[in-house]
Amino acid sequence: IAEAVHRELSPAQPALNKQNACHACGQLCEHAGPSGAPLAAAVAAGALPLLIQSADEAPAVVDNACAALARIIHFQAAAIAAMPQHAYVTLLLGAFPLKEDMPETYAVMRALLGILSVSIGGEGVT
């Protein structure tokens, strides 16, 4: 499944495919445990930031890309430890507020608060 999800995150895919792939990516990374680490590392370093930063991307795609990245930050932190956390904060805050998929706000805020909590000496957010 991870291979198909990663393939559908390509900028050449239709918006609905990318939106669904972002959602699936986030769910896989949340529920797969350690087996989700390879997917998390691959998409957090490439596809998701590109989708979030694209001025031409549909708002629902950006919202779901933000939520997927947030779930990776929260559930697969070890897989993405090579990238500084402040880079993720910048990406997520740059896309706020979410435009169409409002229920995904919880995942994004949980990740942001977790990063901020750890950076000031806390234990993160559950």
Side-chain angles (χ1 to χ4, degrees):
I1 291 176
E3 200 174 294
V5 167
H6 196 205
R7 183 179 56 247
E8 294 302 315
L9 291 173
S10 164
Q13 294 296 331
L16 186 58
N17 290 33
K18 290 183 280 192
Q19 179 183 350
N20 289 335
C22 286
H23 182 75
C25 174
Q27 293 301 313
L28 283 169
C29 289
E30 180 174 343
H31 298 287
S35 65
L39 175 65
V43 299
L48 294 177
L50 290 175
L51 292 174
I52 293 169
Q53 292 175 317
S54 174
D56 299 326
E57 206 55 73
V61 173
V62 174
D63 291 355
N64 278 270
C66 286
L69 183 58
R71 285 182 172 89
I72 290 169
I73 291 167
H74 189 76
F75 294 101
Q76 298 286 344
I80 58 167
M83 187 169 174
Q85 296 250 327
H86 67 82
Y88 294 122
V89 171
T90 302
L91 272 172
L92 293 174
L93 287 178
F96 246 64
L98 298 184
K99 313 290 185 286
E100 289 189 12
D101 201 344
M102 302 314 287
E104 296 294 10
T105 301
Y106 174 79
V108 177
M109 291 305 299
R110 178 181 55 199
L112 288 169
L113 291 172
I115 291 169
L116 295 173
S117 175
V118 168
S119 72
I120 58 172
E123 295 184 19
V125 175
T126 56

